[in-house]
Amino acid sequence: MAALNPLFSQLQTAEPFFVLAGPNVIESEEHIFYMAKHIKAITSRLGVPLVFKSSFDKANRTSSKSFRGPGLTEGLRILEKVKLAYDIPIVTDVHETIQCEAVGKVADIIQIPAFLCRQTDLLVAAAQTGKIINIKKGQFCAPSVMVNSAEKVRLAGNPNVMVCERGTMFGYNDLIVDPRNFEWMREANCPVVADITHSLQQPAGRKLEGGGVASGGLRELIPCIARTAVAVGVDGIFMEVHNDPLNAPVDGPTQWPLRHFEELLEELISIAKVSKGKQQFKIDLTRFED
């Protein structure tokens, strides 16, 4: 078994939580630098550990016409450049085993998309890079499934793994966040992250002019899910942030406005500091007597 990654150790002990944040997809080098500059400034002021997030390829789109990003080579070039310029760790996702080696040379955290959380070959290939692996729980999975997914990473020799709740599908075009999952996913014996933006998607729930559908979302409920998550005591918050969400090419309805990023984080820090969510409640079942 490899040693714990220093960044993993830092995130494990972060108080009150760490943040994975950034725009959903790389739109341009200029936009990534703009977002990284502002997000880092805010998290630095608040003293919250940051891992900057963006995707080089959105392979799992509702429509084949959807914007996907610049691709592996150009995307990694941009992510490496912003990582060095702002001295920030990077998280990005992979969809195929052949991407893992190249991504592992740039990213500090490799993210496994929810739809792929049980794909053994992908989990093993990502694990073998030695980087931190953030596994998103499938919308179709019980929280107990994440115990097995995390174990696949460990059995590949990598102890640096975390699991992420992003909602569960109940019926069509909607996701439900069950707060019990934050507790049950701790059985994976690793940090638990709450994705407070994707969990409010409405998959294929928005009809497009001219036909077809795209994912909608309930952006106004992002604070609700975020407050719940930090009160329960999650270790990290994942959120997609955009300076112009109404014109974002991907997942605009669930990207949080940059102008409100600091305001929301301040509130979440305050909630987390007074909550005892990270401590297990000791229930005494002996008979009560006066």
Side-chain angles (χ1 to χ4, degrees):
M1 183 75 74
L4 287 180
N5 183 301
L7 176 61
F8 185 73
S9 298
Q10 177 192 353
L11 299 180
Q12 267 191 315
T13 57
E15 290 294 342
F17 51 77
F18 59 86
V19 174
L20 313 180
N24 179 285
V25 66
I26 299 170
E27 299 173 28
S28 67
E29 182 176 316
E30 179 184 10
H31 185 250
I32 284 294
F33 269 71
Y34 178 86
M35 294 299 298
K37 173 186 174 182
H38 285 280
I39 289 174
K40 181 178 179 180
I42 290 168
T43 54
S44 295
R45 275 198 300 273
L46 298 179
V48 177
L50 168 70
V51 182
F52 184 73
K53 184 270 170 186
S54 199
S55 299
F56 56 82
D57 180 18
K58 304 305 295 184
N60 174 36
R61 295 294 87 199
T62 303
S63 169
S64 60
K65 299 176 183 177
S66 297
F67 179 75
R68 287 183 56 167
L72 179 68
T73 302
E74 176 64 4
L76 289 180
R77 182 192 69 80
I78 293 171
L79 289 175
E80 184 171 32
K81 192 171 180 180
V82 77
K83 173 180 179 174
L84 295 173
Y86 289 103
D87 189 28
I88 47 177
I90 297 291
V91 55
T92 195
D93 40 356
V94 293
H95 296 85
E96 302 177 75
T97 57
I98 59 173
Q99 296 174 335
C100 293
E101 183 177 357
V103 171
K105 293 177 180 177
V106 174
D108 301 275
I109 301 179
I110 296 178
Q111 185 161 281
I112 305 298
F115 282 131
L116 301 174
C117 70
R118 292 173 46 167
Q119 294 295 103
T120 302
D121 288 348
L122 183 61
L123 289 166
V124 170
Q128 289 174 341
T129 65
K131 296 306 176 79
I132 301 168
I133 310 302
N134 182 36
I135 312 171
K136 287 200 169 183
K137 181 183 74 65
Q139 302 91 324
F140 48 88
C141 290
S144 57
V145 169
M146 301 311 290
V147 175
N148 290 345
S149 294
E151 190 63 13
K152 290 177 181 180
V153 172
R154 295 191 187 101
L155 289 174
N158 187 344
N160 306 290
V161 60
M162 56 181 68
V163 293
C164 181
E165 165 65 18
R166 57 97 74 228
T168 305
M169 206 138 197
F170 285 94
Y172 299 120
N173 310 127
D174 201 13
L175 294 169
I176 302 297
V177 178
D178 184 347
R180 297 175 300 177
N181 287 352
F182 298 132
E183 185 72 33
W184 287 332
M185 285 169 62
R186 288 175 179 157
E187 294 175 10
N189 195 30
C190 63
V192 174
V193 181
D195 182 340
I196 64 171
T197 47
H198 282 109
S199 59
L200 285 159
Q201 277 183 334
Q202 293 180 308
R206 182 163 54 104
K207 292 185 177 180
L208 301 175
E209 292 183 17
V213 294
S215 290
L218 300 169
R219 182 182 5 256
E220 67 275 13
L221 293 180
I222 289 172
C224 171
I225 300 302
R227 291 164 183 149
T228 303
V230 296
V232 172
V234 295
D235 301 287
I237 293 290
F238 177 103
M239 61 189 304
E240 293 187 333
V241 183
H242 203 284
N243 62 311
D244 187 13
L246 292 180
N247 291 300
V250 177
D251 285 354
T254 53
Q255 295 205 61
W256 186 246
L258 177 62
R259 70 171 69 250
H260 296 305
F261 180 58
E262 185 166 10
E263 179 184 1
L264 180 58
L265 273 187
E266 285 179 332
E267 181 184 348
L268 298 181
I269 290 169
S270 296
I271 293 170
K273 283 182 176 179
V274 298
S275 170
K276 295 183 179 180
K278 289 187 179 182
Q279 304 170 27
Q280 187 171 20
F281 200 102
K282 290 184 170 62
I283 302 174
D284 186 350
L285 294 177
T286 59
R287 181 184 175 90
F288 175 81
E289 297 179 0
D290 292 332

